[in-house]
Amino acid sequence: MKWDAVVVGAGPAGATVAHELSKRGAKVLILEKKKLPRFKLCGGCLSARIAHLLPEGWEKQVLNKIRGGILGWRGETFIERSADREVAYIVDRANFDRFLTEKALKEGAQLWEETEFMGFSEGKTLEIFTSRGNLKADFLIGADGFYTKVGRQLGYKKKIFFRSVELPAEGDIGDKVVIDIGLVSRGYAWVFPKGNLLNVGIASTGRENLGELIGGYIRNHSLVKPKVMGKPRGWMIPFCTKYEDLQLGRGRVLLVGDAANMVDPLLGEGIYYAVKGAKLLVKALERPADDFARVYRKLVVEDFYEELLFAGKIADLAYRFQRAAFLMGKEHVLERFFHILSGGYSYKRAYITGLPEFLIELLRDLVTKTLKV
Ligand SMILES: Cc1cc2nc3c(=O)[nH]c(=O)nc-3n(C[C@H](O)[C@H](O)[C@H](O)COP(=O)(O)OP(=O)(O)OC[C@H]3O[C@@H](n4cnc5c(N)ncnc54)[C@H](O)[C@@H]3O)c2cc1C
């Protein structure tokens, strides 16, 4: 039997591609090396703008509704703002990903769990090698996350990424998320609610010992006082700051989600872009085209590439001058973020509007420091 598409990975990217293709009548097989529901290291924070992209019933997956944020400086001082609406949702990734995959299965997709994708060869049709035998397909979709085997066979390498660690903890921060800067060279620490518990993590592109740092962060946090419940676990978060970082595949082998680096370089938000990218990929396959990869790239560039680019520009400034970025939080920055998360504002507008304000804050901080010396 020949499949219309074989999708590697049952995360948000793969499950959404499989769901959308199956809805259109395609014969789709999902290969997933783990058994579902599988653990995925992740804060599980969905920005509210994802709502209209998710299949019916997704609300039942929501553990916490986020209505505000706290920007912290090294877990010592804080700026707190409430939003007049829900700006984000927390889900459990194991359950959320299984929910998305089940939606695909209901539309007729098939799932081979505990089956590893091993490689492919390109002829008239694609031959795909798996731990359960060989398959034939018209399209191969690599939605296989950071260490993408599909992407590596295409010759891609991951060049820029956050390293991150996270652990579960006991504690209560209500309906807000905490983001602390000033702790790592380029990145941040966070405390998110997760049901009745907390998810505490830290991510950086630098070379710090994150295992040690997260211990100190938790011990000294003056606001939350989390009680550790497990050992820190680590994973990578790739991201995209320029055109070449979008590794979308070629011919009939396409990549999506983390495999394609569809993550914002400021917050490391990947689920929204994985789902969005999956929808664009399926749209590209619907077009009568010789070069699906080119059409797919065009759609991604038109849709959200600019957002990633401007999130990167903000990240460059905010992580280079973290004190000024924190102080700027007192102004309208948190409110602007709430707007971005809700989908009513863009990183581009935030950058253009915020740049002069940021430069003033930077100058003020420099003058204060100089006067102190
Ligand atoms: C610590 C941490 C916190 C994060 N917090 C957030 C957050 O709060 N909000 C947010 O939006 N993003 C967050 N992210 C990023 C987010 O987790 C990813 O962007 C998202 O999971 C990408 O989805 P995906 O479907 O592309 O890949 P994944 O979710 O990684 O799924 C890939 C799937 O492919 C499978 N697979 C891999 N290789 C093979 C193979 N050879 N054969 C078969 N199957 C294979 C894997 O088992 C996995 O199930 C966080 C990431 C980390 C590490």
Side-chain angles (χ1 to χ4, degrees):
M1 163 167 168
K2 194 179 84 176
W3 299 92
D4 292 324
V6 168
V7 178
V8 185
T16 306
V17 168
H19 184 208
E20 293 295 330
L21 282 176
S22 306
K23 270 203 296 201
R24 288 161 175 78
K27 273 189 299 179
V28 180
L29 173 66
I30 309 170
L31 302 175
E32 170 54 56
K33 68 178 176 186
K34 306 255 178 71
K35 190 163 175 51
L36 300 186
R38 59 94 179 87
F39 174 78
K40 165 74 179 86
L41 203 76
C42 183
C45 187
L46 309 176
S47 54
R49 61 192 165 160
I50 202 172
H52 72 282
L53 299 174
L54 294 177
E56 206 177 303
W58 70 273
E59 298 89 345
K60 291 202 184 99
Q61 298 299 317
V62 174
L63 299 175
N64 310 81
K65 295 178 176 175
I66 304 302
R67 293 192 185 81
I70 299 171
L71 179 64
W73 177 252
R74 297 181 174 162
E76 293 160 5
T77 41
F78 305 94
I79 297 162
E80 184 169 349
R81 294 283 181 275
S82 294
D84 53 8
R85 61 200 170 283
E86 290 157 10
V87 293
Y89 306 100
I90 304 290
V91 295
D92 172 80
R93 281 296 304 276
N95 292 332
F96 179 69
D97 292 11
R98 180 175 58 177
F99 160 79
L100 293 179
T101 305
E102 276 169 359
K103 287 285 173 184
L105 302 188
K106 277 198 189 110
E107 293 293 340
Q110 295 216 21
L111 168 69
W112 289 4
E113 294 171 273
E114 296 177 281
T115 307
E116 194 166 350
F117 164 84
M118 317 287 274
F120 67 92
S121 72
E122 281 173 288
K124 208 166 161 214
T125 57
L126 294 164
E127 193 162 1
I128 294 158
F129 314 121
T130 83
S131 53
R132 245 165 95 167
N134 298 351
L135 307 161
K136 288 193 188 316
D138 283 333
F139 290 94
L140 171 63
I141 312 300
D144 46 347
F146 181 82
Y147 288 106
T148 172
K149 248 189 197 167
V150 181
R152 278 186 283 150
Q153 190 171 338
L154 290 173
Y156 293 132
K157 288 194 174 73
K158 295 277 183 248
K159 292 187 185 133
I160 40 166
F161 48 86
F162 293 105
R163 290 180 308 116
S164 62
V165 295
E166 130 187 335
L167 50 76
E170 276 177 19
D172 186 13
I173 49 167
D175 58 1
K176 292 195 170 62
V177 290
V178 182
I179 290 206
D180 272 290
I181 55 176
L183 288 149
V184 287
S185 53
R186 196 183 186 285
Y188 67 92
W190 70 85
V191 184
F192 292 172
K194 193 163 199 174
N196 298 325
L197 299 172
L198 298 175
N199 171 284
V200 187
I202 191 161
S204 172
T205 59
R207 303 178 69 84
E208 300 93 344
N209 181 337
L210 298 181
E212 246 171 48
L213 274 177
I214 199 170
Y217 176 62
I218 289 174
R219 272 194 307 279
N220 303 324
H221 208 281
S222 63
L223 190 72
V224 187
K225 311 264 180 242
K227 250 172 74 193
V228 173
M229 288 177 63
K231 285 208 157 52
R233 295 168 82 164
W235 197 248
M236 314 305 162
I237 314 175
F239 56 82
C240 166
T241 55
K242 55 185 184 309
Y243 194 72
E244 304 81 67
D245 295 337
L246 283 177
Q247 299 179 330
L248 303 181
R250 59 172 160 71
R252 285 169 293 133
V253 182
L254 304 174
L255 302 181
V256 63
D258 278 14
N261 304 324
M262 289 176 176
V263 181
D264 98 62
L266 180 65
L267 298 177
E269 179 184 14
I271 303 167
Y272 169 73
Y273 296 104
V275 170
K276 214 158 200 246
K279 300 220 170 201
L280 295 174
L281 189 157
V282 172
K283 206 165 160 191
L285 296 188
E286 280 181 326
R287 301 268 174 93
D290 293 332
D291 189 352
F292 296 99
R294 191 183 51 76
V295 178
Y296 176 38
R297 176 170 287 273
K298 188 166 174 284
L299 292 176
V300 170
V301 168
E302 283 168 2
D303 194 295
F304 64 76
Y305 166 64
E306 196 175 67
E307 271 303 87
L308 301 180
L309 200 73
F310 278 93
K313 286 179 189 292
I314 297 175
D316 284 346
L317 282 176
Y319 291 136
R320 176 125 191 244
F321 305 105
Q322 296 192 38
R323 183 76 199 161
F326 171 69
L327 293 171
M328 206 178 142
K330 282 192 200 131
E331 305 303 325
H332 327 281
V333 166
L334 284 174
E335 283 81 358
R336 267 180 215 150
F337 266 101
F338 297 157
H339 275 302
I340 291 173
L341 298 180
S342 321
Y345 203 70
S346 66
Y347 277 118
K348 183 178 180 178
R349 269 183 74 191
Y351 179 77
I352 293 168
T353 319
L355 189 59
E357 298 164 12
F358 183 76
L359 293 175
I360 292 169
E361 206 54 70
L362 192 60
L363 209 65
R364 196 181 294 160
D365 195 38
L366 277 176
V367 171
T368 319
K369 271 191 201 143
T370 316
L371 289 179
K372 268 189 191 160
V373 169

